[in-house]
Amino acid sequence: MIGFQNSIGRKIGAAILGTTVSALVLTMTLNIASFFHSYRQATVQKANGLAKIMATSTISALDFNDPDSAKEILDSISLITNIVGATIFMPSGDIFASFGTKAKSLPVLDDGSQVEINTFIVTQPIKSGKDTLGYIVLEGTFSDQGEWFYHNLATSGLILLAVLAACIIAANHFRKKITKPIAQLTAAVREISENKDYSKRVAYKSKDEIGYLVSEFNSMLGKIETRDSWLNSHREMLETIVSQRTKEVRAKQGQLKEKNTQLIKQIHERRTAEMIREEVERINRHDLKSSLNLVIGYPELLLNKGNLTPEQGKYIKRIAAAGYRMLDMIQFHLEMFKMEQGIYTLKTMPVDLIEMLCSLEEEMALLLNQSEVSLSIIMNKEEINGAEEVHINGEMVLLRTMFRNLIKNGVEGSVKGGKVSIDIESDELFTTVSISNSLPVPAEVRGRFFNKYVTAGKEDGTGLGTYSANLIAKTHNASINMETSDQTGTTVSARFAAVTIES
Amino acid sequence: MELLGNHKILKPIITAFLAIMILMSSSIAMGADTKITATKTQLRALFIQKIPKYVLWPEQEDPAKDSKEGTPYTVATIDKESLLPYFNKPESFKLVRWPVANCQVLFLDSKNPRVIAAIIQRVKDKPILTIGQNPDFMRMGGIINFVESGSRMKLQVNICAARKAGLTISSKLLKLSEIYCGDEKE
């Protein structure tokens, strides 16, 4: 049994004893006070009665002016211990006779008595018929009130001790009876708390509150036991799952690590390949440029020497133009690489779209003739005459490459006798250039029309035309999109921010 | 110095002051004396008026039962004139001259013992309270006798005579009195 510093038993015992003792002390105090007051009242009433007797007895003495007789009567007061003095006054205020402590003067009292803490005075008129012969004044003390008080106090104390002893025995009995089941309950709680053994039960049955408490506690223990076993099984299951998952995760971590190793290896290989490719391209460009110098330089020499027929001059010029175009393409290939990497620095300037498109028409005249495809440039629903001006901000060479590729794609995507339309629409905000041709984009490449190296149905297609057009448009912050169907053919539209040229 | 020089003026003033003081003190003494001292006749009259309170007459003769209706005690005396100034309560006492047919109290103030004895003999069986002031009054069969004792007046009560007359004397009165039966002191 484990002791508690402030156990319920002690509290119950203290409560019973405290209440009982308090009630007893209060009752005894009030009882003593009440008896004390009654005692004083009774003493004063006795004194009043005595004064009346003395007044009656001394009438004859006053009638016949016999102070000795009066004194003799007053002397009998000596038998009354708490009366210390008696004085008979005549109506004139003179003292007729006295005993013991003599009153100095006739006191004037409203109700015939004056009560102090330890003394009292009573007066009584001495009457014979209607005549007032004098007054008797009795002075007394509550001399025995202290003795009476201490006697009562001692008696009360003894009673209190006796009752207290009885109360202690009774309180101890009831305390044990009340706290026994609580002690059992406490011991069970402590044992359960220490051993975590929820199979314990408290063996106490009663129809009182403690019995109900014990019953509910046992019921609660049963529920806890059930839940505890469920939790244990659940915990074991969770531990198994966690163990399995841990194994899986570790396996996947190994796989991931292996893949990461492979990926790093691939990246390293890719970088090596890229470096090799770049180096090869750089070498190729350099070699091509060296060869192109001859292709570009000799037509210039031939043209300067003259003696050429107009048709020969025309062909020579076309050779030179093709050389320059090839040079541009080699140069562009490098710039495309920069654009892909996002490191290209755009050298923007206002570019006249009409002039550029007319130049491209002239440049592609041979292709158009061979393909038997006509080119139509329309602005605001009307065919242009070459004098119009529509400006966009951009780099001439790149824009030229972009539209060259798109027109060339359009021509190649047209049937013989067909037409490629270039529709220019310009408003305050945007300038949109749409290039349309009659044939649809093959279905297998529609979804990746602007992707790199995507080509279909062309013998010499590099798969870079639409890719580079898309790259250039993005570099110019322009949007580009393609719409194609079997009925309406294909339209590629590029939308640029409009530029206003101040005159 | 000036005051000392005027002692001739002060002397009669002081003498007059002392004379006034002496006169005042004597008058106060006289007043006090008159206050506490009564004449013997006055004292006797007072006693005669108080004694009936302590005496019980036979029922048919007791004027007290009728006193509430205004019937006073009839006090008979030989020398009515000497007591008359002190009987000023006609509603309580009626002072008459002896002889009279009916009275409750008879004060025998005669100095002649034979007259007193004759009157007592005449009324001894009647419920009449006889009061006297003679040394032989008890022996003569009188009921209450006034006796001077120093400056005070005391009472002697003949209870045998009272019993014979059918009167009952209160113990309160007997307590103050010397009790006799005839001429023998009890």
Side-chain angles (χ1 to χ4, degrees):
Chain A
M1 184 70 185
I2 294 159
F4 290 91
Q5 195 172 0
N6 292 313
S7 68
I8 289 177
R10 286 183 186 175
K11 285 178 183 173
I12 290 170
I16 293 170
L17 284 176
T19 308
T20 309
V21 170
S22 301
L24 272 172
V25 169
L26 190 63
T27 306
M28 286 180 172
T29 306
L30 290 175
N31 205 22
I32 289 171
S34 172
F35 277 127
F36 191 68
H37 180 70
S38 300
Y39 161 80
R40 288 169 66 90
Q41 292 285 326
T43 304
V44 174
Q45 280 179 2
K46 281 180 188 172
N48 265 319
L50 185 65
K52 282 179 184 172
I53 292 168
M54 288 293 122
T56 309
S57 302
T58 54
I59 289 172
S60 57
L62 279 162
D63 266 341
F64 297 105
N65 194 27
D66 192 348
D68 294 337
S69 176
K71 177 81 170 56
E72 192 178 331
I73 292 166
L74 291 181
D75 284 346
S76 63
I77 290 174
S78 63
L79 296 171
I80 313 297
T81 54
N82 63 331
I83 303 296
V84 295
T87 309
I88 294 173
F89 287 91
M90 290 192 288
S92 61
D94 295 328
I95 293 172
F96 180 71
S98 67
F99 161 76
T101 305
K102 190 186 289 182
K104 291 176 182 174
S105 61
L106 180 63
V108 180
L109 304 175
D110 293 334
D111 58 348
S113 62
Q114 178 185 331
V115 180
E116 303 290 338
I117 294 172
N118 291 316
T119 61
F120 63 88
I121 297 171
V122 295
T123 61
Q124 189 67 38
I126 302 170
K127 286 189 174 180
S128 176
K130 293 178 182 176
D131 299 329
T132 301
L133 303 178
Y135 299 90
I136 183 164
V137 178
L138 294 185
E139 290 184 34
T141 61
F142 298 108
S143 58
D144 52 348
Q145 69 178 359
E147 187 186 342
W148 181 91
F149 178 76
Y150 290 121
H151 175 73
N152 271 279
L153 200 64
T155 308
S156 300
L158 286 172
I159 291 169
L160 183 67
L161 284 173
V163 173
L164 192 63
C167 280
I168 287 169
I169 294 165
N172 197 35
H173 173 71
F174 288 119
R175 180 180 65 79
K176 281 180 181 172
K177 201 166 185 179
I178 291 168
T179 57
K180 190 180 176 183
I182 295 173
Q184 285 180 4
L185 194 64
T186 309
V189 167
R190 190 170 289 277
E191 196 173 339
I192 288 162
S193 175
E194 286 173 354
N195 303 328
K196 308 294 180 194
D197 179 10
Y198 296 106
S199 62
K200 280 275 175 188
R201 297 289 182 271
V202 181
Y204 178 78
K205 283 186 180 179
S206 173
K207 290 183 179 178
D208 59 5
E209 288 86 345
I210 296 170
Y212 179 75
L213 185 68
V214 168
S215 166
E216 287 299 309
F217 178 72
N218 286 337
S219 168
M220 191 175 68
L221 281 178
K223 288 175 185 173
I224 290 171
E225 190 181 10
T226 308
R227 198 168 297 177
D228 196 46
S229 64
W230 181 81
L231 281 172
N232 278 335
S233 63
H234 197 67
R235 183 173 53 78
E236 286 171 3
M237 188 183 76
L238 282 173
E239 281 176 358
T240 309
I241 291 170
V242 167
S243 174
Q244 285 177 355
R245 293 280 164 85
T246 307
K247 282 179 184 175
E248 288 174 11
V249 166
R250 280 178 184 165
K252 288 197 174 176
Q253 272 182 340
Q255 289 174 5
L256 198 61
K257 201 173 179 181
E258 192 178 341
K259 282 183 180 176
N260 277 341
T261 311
Q262 288 176 1
L263 193 61
I264 290 165
K265 191 178 176 184
Q266 283 176 359
I267 289 168
H268 182 69
E269 288 171 354
R270 182 76 179 266
R271 277 182 183 170
T272 309
E274 285 286 328
M275 283 173 66
I276 292 166
R277 186 179 66 81
E278 282 177 11
E279 185 63 22
V280 169
E281 281 185 353
R282 192 185 60 76
I283 293 165
N284 285 345
R285 277 197 299 273
H286 181 265
D287 294 347
L288 287 170
K289 277 182 181 177
S290 300
S291 302
L292 273 175
N293 282 335
L294 296 174
V295 176
I296 294 165
Y298 282 110
E300 291 286 335
L301 285 172
L302 288 172
L303 287 171
N304 287 337
K305 280 186 177 179
N307 297 327
L308 296 172
T309 63
E311 196 172 352
Q312 285 175 333
K314 189 179 176 182
Y315 292 152
I316 293 292
K317 282 181 183 176
R318 283 188 180 175
I319 291 167
Y324 279 114
R325 193 164 59 246
M326 193 173 287
L327 187 64
D328 285 347
M329 285 176 71
I330 292 165
Q331 186 64 31
F332 174 67
H333 211 264
L334 179 63
E335 286 163 356
M336 194 170 68
F337 175 72
K338 289 181 180 174
M339 282 187 276
E340 281 176 342
Q341 300 300 316
I343 56 172
Y344 185 81
T345 305
L346 198 64
K347 296 176 277 294
T348 57
M349 59 181 295
V351 175
D352 186 357
L353 262 177
I354 302 296
E355 184 186 347
M356 186 185 70
L357 289 171
C358 288
S359 170
L360 282 171
E361 186 183 16
E362 195 271 331
E363 182 186 313
M364 299 177 79
L366 182 60
L367 178 65
L368 290 168
N369 282 336
Q370 289 174 351
S371 304
E372 296 179 15
V373 174
S374 62
L375 183 66
S376 172
I377 303 174
I378 299 165
M379 188 172 74
N380 298 331
K381 313 289 184 188
E382 288 182 1
E383 193 75 26
I384 61 166
N385 55 20
E388 297 87 350
E389 286 187 4
V390 175
H391 292 89
I392 59 173
N393 263 334
E395 195 170 323
M396 170 61 96
V397 177
L398 293 180
L399 289 172
R400 194 182 177 88
T401 305
M402 174 186 169
F403 283 108
R404 182 189 297 119
N405 288 335
L406 292 176
I407 292 167
K408 191 183 173 191
N409 272 350
V411 172
E412 289 170 351
S414 299
V415 294
K416 280 189 178 179
K419 187 173 75 174
V420 173
S421 294
I422 301 173
D423 190 3
I424 301 167
E425 289 182 3
S426 182
D427 57 25
E428 292 178 349
L429 296 174
F430 300 104
T431 298
T432 307
V433 181
S434 302
I435 300 160
S436 307
N437 58 283
S438 57
L439 290 176
V441 176
E444 63 269 21
V445 297
R446 281 181 191 175
R448 34 193 192 96
F449 183 73
F450 291 108
N451 286 6
K452 202 173 184 180
Y453 307 126
V454 174
T455 183
K458 289 190 281 185
E459 290 180 0
D460 59 343
T462 60
L464 292 172
T466 54
Y467 174 74
S468 64
N470 184 35
L471 204 58
I472 292 165
K474 284 184 178 174
T475 306
H476 282 80
N477 288 325
S479 64
I480 187 166
N481 67 307
M482 181 275 289
E483 290 177 357
T484 184
S485 70
D486 294 338
Q487 290 79 29
T488 57
T490 303
T491 301
V492 178
S493 301
R495 193 169 69 170
F496 297 87
V499 175
T500 305
I501 302 297
E502 292 179 3
S503 60
Chain B
M1 291 297 287
E2 195 173 340
L3 285 170
L4 290 171
N6 293 331
H7 66 279
K8 289 179 181 177
I9 300 168
L10 283 172
K11 194 174 178 180
I13 292 170
I14 292 166
T15 307
F17 177 75
L18 288 171
I20 289 165
M21 290 299 289
I22 290 164
L23 282 170
M24 281 180 70
S25 63
S26 64
S27 67
I28 289 166
M30 282 173 73
D33 198 28
T34 50
K35 188 180 174 185
I36 60 170
T37 307
T39 61
K40 290 177 181 174
T41 307
Q42 187 180 356
L43 200 59
R44 284 188 201 106
L46 190 64
F47 274 33
I48 289 166
Q49 290 174 72
K50 291 197 174 184
I51 285 170
K53 285 192 291 183
Y54 302 96
V55 178
L56 189 65
W57 273 267
E59 193 171 350
Q60 64 275 13
E61 297 295 331
D62 191 359
K65 67 182 176 66
D66 298 327
S67 61
K68 287 179 185 174
E69 297 170 5
T71 308
Y73 286 100
T74 302
V75 179
T77 182
I78 295 166
D79 185 8
K80 179 186 173 186
E81 281 70 24
S82 64
L83 293 176
L84 192 60
Y86 309 111
F87 276 78
N88 47 13
K89 291 182 181 174
E91 71 279 5
S92 301
F93 295 98
K94 181 182 173 186
L95 188 65
V96 296
R97 189 187 302 280
W98 179 261
V100 66
N102 189 19
C103 69
Q104 283 80 39
V105 180
L106 174 58
F107 179 52
L108 300 171
D109 52 350
S110 174
K111 292 179 180 176
N112 189 342
R114 287 193 302 276
V115 172
I116 294 168
I119 293 171
I120 289 172
Q121 197 62 36
R122 187 173 160 186
V123 300
K124 65 179 178 184
D125 296 328
K126 291 182 181 177
I128 294 172
L129 178 68
T130 51
I131 302 172
Q133 50 180 351
N134 194 295
D136 297 324
F137 195 69
M138 294 288 102
R139 188 176 54 79
M140 291 174 188
I143 297 172
I144 293 174
N145 187 36
F146 295 145
V147 182
E148 291 180 19
S149 173
S151 60
R152 293 181 54 205
M153 185 174 285
K154 289 203 168 185
L155 300 175
Q156 292 177 336
V157 177
N158 187 344
I159 54 170
C160 296
R163 198 178 298 127
K164 200 172 181 180
L167 302 177
T168 306
I169 310 297
S170 167
S171 62
K172 291 178 183 175
L173 184 63
L174 294 175
K175 193 176 177 184
L176 304 176
S177 311
E178 292 177 359
I179 301 169
Y180 284 83
C181 182
D183 58 349
E184 289 181 7
K185 198 173 181 179
E186 292 286 313

